[in-house]
Amino acid sequence: MFGRKSIITVLTTSMLLSAGVVYAQTNIAVNAQSVTAFDNKVIKKISADNMYNTIKYLSTVPREAGTAGEVRGVEYIESQFKSLGLETRRIPFPIYDYKTLKQQAIVDGADLNGHAFSGSGSGNVTAELVNVGKALAGTVTDDVKGKIALVERGDITFVEKVQNVAAKGAVGVLMYNTGTGNNFGQANGEVPAVAITRAQGLELVEKLKNGPVTATLDVDIERIEKTSYVVEAKLKPNKNKDTGQIVTIGAHHDSVANGPGANDDASGVSAVLELARIFVNTPIDTEVRFLTFGSEERGMVGSSFYVSQLPQSDIDRMVAHFQMDMIGGAEAGEDHPLGGLIMYTIDGQKNLVTDLGASATSRLYDVAVPYGQLGRSDHQPFHDVGIPSALFIHSPVEPQYHKPTDTIEHISKEKLQQAASTVGAAAYQIIRPDTPALDRAHVAPAIVNYDFENRAVD
Ligand code: BES
Ligand code: ZN
């Protein structure tokens, strides 16, 4: 059997120096790899105490997007990047809060006690109702023009439904539920959109069979604009040795409103800052962008904005995005190996990031970190434009998730150290100068065997 030690004796220094060759040969003994000198250049410098202190500072107040708490966090992150000499940018973007001032749906003089969708358009319209079923794309006819669309919930998003009927000229939307309740969802749009119960909706469907029905929608929603931020810090490679490629390492700096977000996601931010601190003093041949995103908790608004403002030439050069979110939860992960560390991809497929992650943990901890399928964080928009990306997280998540108890007391330094070391060692495989540009290197192919896990996350 190939044990850890026997493999070391098999490897020569020159083999270690050309990592691609080493990986190809060590496939005979899966996971029987050892910490390399390259790994040590990164992992020996990682300080869980530094990370802990960052989390402590960031988690003294909530950092809800668009609040002074976010700005306080952003200023801290920015100052850290700047003190490292990094080219640092604060990228503002707008976010919107909605305040409902009036929400009424009236049919035949009866008030249906409807609820306006958050993000609904404002207006007072009276028009005939038209039943458009679920308003699936391609099924809505021109009949709806100038009328109010009666829509059933399900199959596609509210936003899509409203878009589909508005595109055909509907002046309002009356949406009924699949279950009980009449207060659901977000429907960005120009026309008033009001939710009613399933029973009310079905009654209207019946009524329409007997002749025209007129409805009135009266909605007044105030839109309040706020500003949230992405912080970007660029680390440029050696001018004489530049692969032209870019690696991004990110976390979200915002928290939910009622929690200090120590683990979610000051922990990820602390690792981004720590890796920045280490990589500024390490020769590299690939640009690294350290990113912290605002408004992740509102639906990845910051990372989506960041990706949307990138020139295509940057996107084309981006070869890997490492997202860290909730990487320090002491009570996360149950009895899974590596404290429950797992790499989630949007499509549930392996990619360069997961290959390098699994290889890193097998070298560092003798265990190949598994992968799984999950969105729910800022790796989504990177994936959407074709950049190999993965979320590093401990799952199942801890009981403090999104609660006021997500505080520094529940942070594990060991978990921080492990997750940051994994991402640091994995990213270093790409950015260190002795590996050739990725498309010509052997670091990309699957390096160790690692498993798909369909693990419950919360
Ligand atoms: N850190 C979480 C993501 C997460 C939570 C992943 C639990 C796995 C298990 C993230 O900050 C979050 O809460 N995301 C939102 C989704 C977002 C689109 C609003 C969520 O999962 O509800
Ligand atoms: Zn999070």
Side-chain angles (χ1 to χ4, degrees):
M1 283 298 287
F2 269 100
R4 218 181 150 83
K5 281 210 173 101
S6 54
I7 263 294
I8 296 172
T9 59
V10 166
L11 301 176
T12 65
T13 312
S14 69
M15 288 166 82
L16 273 173
L17 281 171
S18 57
V21 177
V22 171
Y23 296 136
Q25 297 202 354
T26 53
N27 273 343
I28 43 170
V30 171
N31 298 348
Q33 300 186 17
S34 298
V35 179
T36 66
F38 300 117
D39 294 327
N40 279 330
K41 279 192 187 177
V42 178
I43 64 171
K44 288 213 163 153
K45 294 177 193 141
I46 293 177
S47 158
D49 286 333
N50 282 348
M51 296 169 71
Y52 194 83
N53 289 337
T54 298
I55 298 170
K56 202 164 178 179
Y57 180 83
L58 289 176
S59 63
T60 54
V61 291
R63 302 174 306 283
E64 187 191 3
T67 68
E70 181 189 9
V71 173
R72 176 181 174 275
V74 162
E75 281 169 354
Y76 178 81
I77 295 161
E78 228 179 5
S79 72
Q80 296 294 308
F81 283 144
K82 282 188 176 157
S83 73
L84 295 171
L86 292 166
E87 192 184 317
T88 305
R89 223 166 35 116
R90 188 196 297 201
I91 308 169
F93 58 92
I95 54 173
Y96 301 101
D97 279 344
Y98 299 97
K99 204 156 112 195
T100 304
L101 304 174
K102 198 188 244 176
Q103 46 179 350
Q104 221 171 27
I106 296 171
V107 177
D108 287 344
D111 189 334
L112 301 179
N113 290 313
H115 282 92
F117 282 80
S118 129
S120 156
S122 292
N124 185 344
V125 293
T126 298
E128 250 182 59
L129 266 186
V130 187
N131 180 7
V132 297
K134 287 184 175 170
L136 304 179
T139 66
V140 184
T141 66
D142 293 329
D143 287 2
V144 82
K145 191 169 167 58
K147 305 197 175 134
I148 294 171
L150 179 63
V151 185
E152 182 181 4
R153 180 181 187 172
D155 294 350
I156 55 172
T157 66
F158 303 125
V159 175
E160 288 166 329
K161 288 172 192 276
V162 173
Q163 273 168 357
N164 290 347
V165 298
K168 290 285 183 184
V171 295
V173 177
L174 198 52
M175 192 137 19
Y176 60 98
N177 210 342
T178 41
T180 52
N182 65 345
N183 191 3
F184 46 94
Q186 162 102 24
N188 297 333
E190 296 301 311
V191 299
V194 179
I196 54 176
T197 66
R198 178 162 190 83
Q200 289 172 325
L202 293 178
E203 205 179 308
L204 290 173
V205 169
E206 286 308 310
K207 206 169 178 168
L208 276 169
K209 290 178 183 163
N210 304 323
V213 178
T214 299
T216 296
L217 301 182
D218 191 1
V219 175
D220 189 5
I221 290 180
E222 187 189 355
R223 191 174 86 161
I224 304 151
E225 183 173 320
K226 294 179 180 172
T227 304
S228 182
Y229 302 91
V230 174
V231 186
E232 177 199 61
K234 286 185 186 174
L235 177 60
K236 297 286 187 179
N238 185 327
K239 281 208 170 57
N240 305 318
K241 206 164 194 304
D242 182 354
T243 59
Q245 295 174 332
I246 303 170
V247 167
T248 48
I249 302 179
H252 71 89
H253 62 242
D254 67 316
S255 70
V256 291
N258 72 335
N263 198 35
D264 187 11
D265 182 26
S267 66
V269 172
S270 77
V272 171
L273 292 179
E274 185 62 2
L275 292 177
R277 187 184 69 79
I278 291 162
F279 287 146
V280 289
N281 291 316
T282 312
I284 54 171
D285 68 0
T286 299
E287 178 178 326
V288 186
R289 285 192 197 170
F290 302 98
L291 302 165
T292 76
F293 306 107
S295 301
E296 186 274 347
E297 301 287 6
R298 286 179 166 246
M300 292 87 87
V301 182
S303 49
S304 301
F305 183 83
Y306 179 75
V307 170
S308 76
Q309 54 91 60
L310 287 173
Q312 187 59 42
S313 54
D314 279 13
I315 294 174
D316 293 342
R317 294 190 295 132
M318 291 182 165
V319 295
H321 175 71
F322 294 84
Q323 177 75 17
M324 289 177 281
D325 194 351
M326 307 177 79
I327 55 156
E331 289 157 58
E334 288 172 354
D335 293 331
H336 295 280
L338 296 170
L341 190 65
I342 188 164
M343 306 175 291
Y344 285 119
T345 61
I346 301 299
D347 56 9
Q349 302 292 313
K350 295 178 175 181
N351 59 36
L352 172 65
V353 177
T354 60
D355 284 352
L356 292 173
S359 174
T361 60
S362 81
R363 296 194 307 278
L364 307 184
Y365 309 113
D366 259 338
V367 183
V369 61
Y371 69 108
Q373 181 169 21
L374 192 76
R376 299 179 63 169
S377 193
D378 295 311
H379 54 315
Q380 176 84 56
F382 289 83
H383 165 89
D384 289 347
V385 294
I387 301 164
S389 33
L391 165 66
F392 290 74
I393 189 170
H394 297 110
S395 92
V397 298
E398 64 280 1
Q400 296 85 17
Y401 168 59
H402 279 186
K403 297 214 169 79
T405 49
D406 181 7
T407 56
I408 190 82
E409 285 76 26
H410 301 281
I411 292 292
S412 152
K413 286 188 185 176
E414 192 189 347
K415 280 196 163 112
L416 292 174
Q417 184 86 34
Q418 230 173 37
S421 299
T422 299
V423 171
Y428 190 52
Q429 290 294 312
I430 306 176
I431 66 174
R432 63 188 169 90
D434 50 285
T435 49
L438 261 187
D439 49 356
R440 284 175 283 123
H442 298 285
V443 292
I447 290 160
V448 294
N449 288 327
Y450 59 110
D451 297 327
F452 182 87
E453 259 190 60
N454 192 3
R455 194 186 293 174
V457 288
D458 57 2

